[in-house]
Every structure is written in C-alpha cells, then in structure tokens.
Amino acid sequence: MAGSNCTQETEFILAGFTEAPATQVAQFLLFLLTYLVTILGNLGMIVLIRASPLLHSPMYYFLGNLAFVNLCTSTTITPRMLAGVLLGKKGVTYAGCMAQVFTFDLFVVTECFLLATMAYDRYMAVCHPLLYPLVMTPERCSRLVTGSYLLGLTNGVGQTISMSSLFFCSSSAIDLFFCDISLLISLSTSDTTLSLVILRTSSSLLGVPSILVVLVSYMAIISTILSISSAEGKRKAFSTCASHLTTVSTFYGALIFMYLIPRSDTSRGGDKWAAVLYTVVTPMLNPLIYSLRNREVKEAWRR
C-alpha cells in the first residue's frame, strides 16, 4: 500500500491567498467586514421572517432556512480563514479538516436543494396560482425543507467516509483557504478509487437533479411570463422571481466554474476567487438581495 512506507500526515497547510503583510491586512479587514455583514444580514432575515406576519408564507419559510444555511456555511469557512490571516497559523489538524469537510459539504448540498425547492415554489406561484395554496401547504413545505437537510447530511457523511479512507504522506499543502474534498483526493498517496466514486456519485445524484429542477422550473416560468399580454403583468410576475434568480445564478455559476469546467492544474488560479464567491460573498449577498428587491421584506423592515 502507498501508505505503508511513510507516516500519516496529521496536519494540513491551507495556502490562503498571499504572504504580503500589507495585502493580508487588507484581506483580513475585507473578509471580517463581509463576515459581520453576513451574520447581521442572515440573523436579521431569520428574526424578521419569524416576527412579521407579512412574511408567514412558503416563500419566506424557505428563505429563512436559506438564511440559516448561509450563516452556517460562512461560519464553517470564514472564522478559520480570518484566524489564519491574523495569527499566521495556516495549519489545520486532520480532525479539523474532516470536520470542515463534513459541515461544508452538508450545507452546500442543503443549499442546492433549498434553491431547487424555492424554484419549484416560484413555478407554482407563477404558473399555477390557483393550485398554489393546495400544493404548497405548511406540511409539504416542512417535508421539502427536511428532505433538503437530510440530503445534505447524506452528502456530508459520504464525503467524510471518503476522506477517512485517504492516506496522506507528503504534499499536505492545500492550495485553497479551506479543506476541499476534491483537492484532498488529489493530494492523497493512497488508492482514491472509493473517494472518486463517492464524489462523482454524490455530484450526479445530488447536484445534477437540483440544477435540473431549477432549469425546468424557470423554463416554465419564462414561458408563462411571455404569454402574459400586459407589460404590467409581466413585470409583476418577473419581480416575484428576480431575487431568487439572482441568488441561483451567483451560487451555481461559481460551483460550475469550480467543479465542472475541465482545466489543467496550471490554469486553476481562478478557483480561489470562485470559492470566495460561493462560500463568503453569496451568503452575504442573499439577505441584501431579498431586502433590496422584495417589496414585502422592505415593508416588514419598515414596520
């Protein structure tokens, strides 16, 4: 075996972004500000949705859970990154890396299915408004959200099992600011067959269906909007989907660039910034997008 002639690594080095002190200070302040806005924005959205009777509807129930997932995703990544920049400690233990893989993969897949559920919710609201109250009942919404968390948990457990089968002897430096399972597989000196099978299976069975739900839902929504005769009717119909469509485009665009576009190892310079987009920036932007573009949310804030 590959791992029989060397000692198993017990610590990984997260490369981060830069070693220049001046740049590190600027990055620390920028990411700290982003994280604070993320915490305040998502917590504020959760509290607002629970407190305001205006927002007690399926769309905002899903949005409240999305805010919680965004909060957890950012907290899984950003504090560790900030500590590394501030203290200069880029090492992370094997156990810490495994915990980060589990929690991050759990919440990323949960967000994928929450976004798919929200796309289906918008499809029912725009394309079948008369059936909407009968289909999107509180019980069904609760089951959809619970299913999203369970699928995320399945992915987290699967990726943790994948990592536990890997053996690392050398090259323990991860060229990213968090423990990413795909990079860990490429660093392993053991047989990675099981890990690759789990990664590809989870991507196919969990990632692809959620993307298809979003695409099919919005194809039907666009078709319905185009069939509306009045410009005002088209505007109102589109306004109910604009915030979610912006969130979906940012989140899935970064994921597709990060994991699905083939490229050589020498052309992966943009991976870090794509990862920043869906791990740091998107969780901050989501509550701002819904606050600025949604009339009900703005009215609830005023009240």
Side-chain angles (χ1 to χ4, degrees), residues 38-209:
T38 301
I39 296 293
L40 293 175
N42 285 287
L43 280 179
M45 185 64 71
I46 293 170
V47 172
L48 182 68
I49 290 171
R50 293 181 63 88
S52 176
L54 283 175
L55 306 182
H56 290 176
S57 65
M59 183 176 75
Y60 296 108
Y61 174 65
F62 298 137
L63 179 57
N65 281 277
L66 179 65
F68 172 74
V69 169
N70 286 159
L71 190 62
C72 294
T73 301
S74 183
T75 302
T76 299
I77 301 297
T78 311
R80 176 65 190 78
M81 179 174 59
L82 290 173
V85 175
L86 181 64
L87 303 177
K89 295 181 179 180
K90 297 187 176 183
V92 56
T93 64
Y94 179 87
C97 203
M98 182 175 288
Q100 193 174 65
V101 166
F102 171 75
T103 53
F104 177 72
D105 288 349
L106 186 161
F107 289 118
V108 164
V109 169
T110 299
E111 181 166 356
C112 286
F113 280 94
L114 280 177
L115 291 173
T117 299
M118 294 172 74
Y120 175 73
D121 173 75
R122 293 300 84 203
Y123 159 76
M124 291 301 303
V126 174
C127 301
H128 304 286
L130 298 179
L131 293 177
Y132 184 82
L134 301 177
V135 175
M136 302 305 292
T137 62
E139 294 78 13
R140 179 162 297 174
C141 292
S142 179
R143 288 197 293 268
L144 288 171
V145 169
T146 302
S148 298
Y149 283 107
L150 289 177
L151 289 168
L153 179 63
T154 300
N155 183 62
V157 171
Q159 302 304 341
T160 305
I161 293 174
S162 170
M163 183 174 173
S164 66
S165 68
L166 300 178
F167 201 93
F168 303 91
C169 297
S170 58
S171 301
S172 60
I174 301 174
D175 191 22
L176 206 59
F177 53 91
F178 68 97
C179 294
D180 178 72
I181 188 63
S182 61
L183 291 181
L184 288 167
I185 291 174
S186 66
L187 291 175
S188 176
T189 56
S190 59
D191 184 6
T192 59
T193 302
L194 175 62
S195 300
L196 289 173
V197 167
I198 293 175
L199 182 62
R200 291 168 182 168
T201 301
S202 64
S203 299
S204 301
L205 297 182
L206 299 177
V208 174

Side-chain angles (χ1 to χ4, degrees), residues 197-264:
V197 167
I198 293 175
L199 182 62
R200 291 168 182 168
T201 301
S202 64
S203 299
S204 301
L205 297 182
L206 299 177
V208 174
S210 65
I211 295 176
L212 288 177
V213 170
V214 172
L215 290 176
V216 172
S217 297
Y218 273 102
M219 288 174 61
I221 289 171
I222 292 172
S223 176
T224 300
I225 291 176
L226 292 177
S227 67
I228 298 175
S229 57
S230 68
E232 180 65 17
K234 290 181 179 180
R235 187 192 65 80
K236 288 183 177 180
F238 181 75
S239 66
T240 65
C241 309
S243 298
H244 179 258
L245 187 58
T246 303
T247 299
V248 165
S249 301
T250 304
F251 180 75
Y252 279 115
L255 283 181
I256 291 172
F257 177 83
M258 183 78 176
Y259 295 109
L260 297 183
I261 296 180
R263 53 199 182 278
S264 64

